[in-house]
Amino acid sequence: MSQLPRPPAPPSLPLMWKLLRARQHLSPLHLSLAREYGDVVWLRAPGVNTYLVSTPALIKHYLAENAVNNYVKHPGPVARTLVMGESISTMEGPGWLRHRRLLQPGFQRERMLAAVPKMVEVFQHELDTHWEPRVRGGEPLDVLPAMSSLVLSVLGPLVCSEEVPQDVRDAVYRYMRFAFEPDPLLHQLGVLPEAVVRYDSRRRHPLARESGRRINKYAWDMVRKRMGMSEQPDDMLGMIIDARDAAGERMKEVEVRDELVELIYGGQFGTSSGLSWMWHYLSLHPEVFQRMGDEVERVLGGRAPAVTDLRDLQYVTQVFDETLRLHPPAPGQGRIAIKEDTLGGYHVPVGTTVFGSTYAMHRHPDYWTEPEVFDPSRFAPEKVKERPRFLYLPFGAGQRVCIGSMLASLMATLSTVLLTQRYRLEAVPGKKVRPLTGGAHFPDNLWLKVLPARAGAPASRPSAVAG
């Protein structure tokens, strides 16, 4: 048995009370615990045995350097739900590696960049048909579902060469809220009978099951149609269906279905949440919005963006990166020790959950000046080079870094440019945004008014790229 000590730990009963009080947004509690107890904190409470980690070197250790030998994402088989199955976000071991290799060609850099004109075309159509009426009507915008639908408008053509129907987009958002919202206090305490918990969940999310069924039907219908074709279109789904593993085998029908759901359902969340938070901050910081608009005008001069413009839209990228620093879509990176380990001089027994709090690390005062301040200049290229690796992890790290991180960044940049050319978003009086952190981190009750980019001027569609 190891003679190394365990990390410092807050008293169990006060910790449990703090966890329950902070149940809807745990990340600030993680930050305060890290500042009080250090970069490794042992969270001990009934049903809790976790090492909270908030420094880059230690996160690098368990996510990269010792990840394969000592840690797994989860300890056993994935439970299939109405919507989610076994995909690269939930699988472990050889099955995960096989799926990752089969999916990787669809996310190659050259392929993503070649899709930029299509993304711009689809975004423009979505703004023409769904956003322009809001401007004319003067109605406020519920931002998170609007951004979710906007991102899905592009994912559909890229993934399966078809527009995702609006009712499916609505179902994705409703089921996402059901899946990611923090559970009420009484649910977390475990004092209610299971039947009562299920009843209360149905009461709070009356359309969740119907939404899950709609997503499931959409996925199965699409996969069965496409796998019945003799030749696949040139899209992500076609590449998945045609891909062969080392043994020359294709994915089974259910495997293709699960990865399609991952792409459509899981693939939109990080970008839509990040965009929602970004426009919230832009509504609070008109000077940042002005600088971003000046860059867009200087680079594009009123036309639509092209691939060659991306390197010159640096500040737009910095604004999104800074947003993800303050509000990373994933609360952190959790792994379970399957062998004993040493972390920061402390003993890690088998079965311990090691959780790197992205939120706490993104606000660590040793690495960020005035960490609570929204400041996109932090992500100027020269400053990024100075920071250690594994400090900024909005898309994870190590071998399980998000396969779609480049696609997410492209969708964020292009949609932001096109929105900036047309609109400015202002806060709605009386509406206070509320951060929620359950299965993911996202804004609740975020409403903004959509107005023309210049006061008194009509919104306009950027002209096509010359040539």
Side-chain angles (χ1 to χ4, degrees), residues 123 126-127 129-132 134 139-154 166 169-170 172-174 176-177 268-269 271-277 279 415 419 423 425 443 446-450:
F123 275 138
E126 185 73 7
L127 297 180
T129 56
H130 293 284
W131 287 62
E132 288 297 324
R134 295 182 183 276
E139 60 181 296
L141 181 75
D142 190 356
V143 179
L144 184 57
M147 291 300 175
S148 174
S149 184
L150 183 65
V151 172
L152 282 168
S153 74
V154 161
Q166 188 61 53
R169 298 191 213 176
D170 295 340
V172 166
Y173 175 75
R174 288 194 298 264
M176 179 178 71
R177 288 297 300 254
Q268 57 79 40
F269 177 75
T271 309
S272 57
S273 176
L275 286 171
S276 300
W277 280 117
W279 284 98
S415 65
L419 283 166
Y423 311 118
L425 275 64
L446 176 54
W447 292 81
L448 296 174
K449 290 185 291 185
V450 184

Side-chain angles (χ1 to χ4, degrees), residues 318-439:
Q318 289 176 212
V319 171
F320 188 65
D321 288 344
E322 172 69 346
T323 302
L324 295 185
R325 181 187 71 83
L326 288 168
H327 293 283
Q333 317 295 322
R335 299 291 186 270
I336 298 172
I338 56 174
K339 296 180 182 178
E340 289 189 350
D341 196 15
T342 300
L343 192 65
Y346 299 112
H347 176 51
V348 183
V350 173
T352 302
T353 297
V354 179
F355 182 80
S357 173
T358 312
Y359 186 97
M361 195 169 59
H362 285 185
R363 298 172 187 242
H364 198 304
D366 288 355
Y367 302 100
W368 309 95
T369 303
E370 296 185 296
E372 303 295 334
V373 174
F374 179 69
D375 179 11
S377 69
R378 300 178 200 274
F379 287 90
E382 63 276 9
K383 293 185 178 179
V384 171
K385 290 178 182 178
E386 295 171 356
R387 284 197 288 271
R389 290 186 63 200
F390 292 84
L391 174 63
Y392 178 66
L393 304 177
F395 298 109
Q399 64 175 350
R400 297 193 71 118
V401 66
C402 176
I403 195 172
S405 58
M406 182 180 180
L407 175 58
S409 296
L410 282 173
M411 290 191 295
T413 297
L414 295 172
S415 65
T416 299
V417 167
L418 293 168
L419 283 166
T420 301
Q421 288 177 315
R422 296 187 187 211
Y423 311 118
R424 55 191 171 92
L425 275 64
E426 292 185 355
V428 176
K431 298 285 188 180
K432 184 176 181 180
V433 63
R434 183 173 63 130
L436 294 179
T437 307

Side-chain angles (χ1 to χ4, degrees), residues 18-19 23 67 82 94 120 128 161 172 188-189 199 245 262 298 376 381 386 403 423 427 451:
K18 290 178 180 178
L19 289 170
R23 66 193 181 281
L82 181 60
V120 170
D128 287 343
S161 299
V172 166
Q188 294 191 27
L189 288 174
Y199 171 80
D245 61 19
E262 178 67 33
R298 174 178 57 79
E386 295 171 356
I403 195 172
Y423 311 118
L451 304 168

Side-chain angles (χ1 to χ4, degrees), residues 71 224 272 314 427:
Y71 296 94
R224 286 165 176 158
S272 57
Q314 181 63 48

Side-chain angles (χ1 to χ4, degrees), residues 179-361:
F180 288 160
E181 272 193 14
D183 290 330
L185 175 58
L186 288 176
H187 290 208
Q188 294 191 27
L189 288 174
V191 298
L192 296 176
E194 183 62 29
V196 175
V197 171
R198 289 197 300 269
Y199 171 80
D200 186 59
S201 295
R202 288 195 297 270
R203 180 188 60 81
R204 290 183 296 111
H205 300 280
L207 298 178
R209 183 169 292 275
E210 175 190 327
S211 298
R213 289 195 183 104
R214 182 65 185 99
I215 297 167
N216 193 39
K217 183 179 186 304
Y218 168 78
W220 276 118
D221 287 349
M222 178 62 68
V223 167
R224 286 165 176 158
K225 178 180 75 172
R226 290 291 298 270
M227 293 190 78
M229 292 181 175
S230 58
E231 185 175 347
Q232 293 295 323
D234 183 21
D235 54 27
M236 289 185 180
L237 184 56
M239 294 188 73
I240 293 172
I241 292 172
D242 285 340
R244 302 289 199 281
D245 61 19
E249 298 291 332
R250 290 184 176 186
M251 282 192 187
K252 298 176 183 177
E253 186 180 69
V254 68
E255 293 178 292
V256 177
R257 178 264 175 212
D258 289 350
E259 295 299 351
L260 174 61
V261 170
E262 178 67 33
L263 291 170
I264 295 295
Y265 172 74
Q268 57 79 40
F269 177 75
T271 309
S272 57
S273 176
L275 286 171
S276 300
W277 280 117
M278 185 191 73
W279 284 98
H280 168 66
Y281 277 107
L282 289 173
S283 72
L284 300 177
H285 296 273
E287 75 286 356
V288 175
F289 179 73
Q290 181 64 51
R291 179 175 172 182
M292 191 172 73
D294 290 345
E295 177 182 83
V296 170
E297 178 60 27
R298 174 178 57 79
V299 174
L300 300 178
R303 61 175 173 81
V307 174
T308 52
D309 299 314
L310 294 172
R311 63 178 177 271
D312 297 319
L313 295 166
Q314 181 63 48
Y315 194 69
V316 174
T317 303
Q318 289 176 212
V319 171
F320 188 65
D321 288 344
E322 172 69 346
T323 302
L324 295 185
R325 181 187 71 83
L326 288 168
H327 293 283
Q333 317 295 322
R335 299 291 186 270
I336 298 172
I338 56 174
K339 296 180 182 178
E340 289 189 350
D341 196 15
T342 300
L343 192 65
Y346 299 112
H347 176 51
V348 183
V350 173
T352 302
T353 297
V354 179
F355 182 80
S357 173
T358 312
Y359 186 97
M361 195 169 59

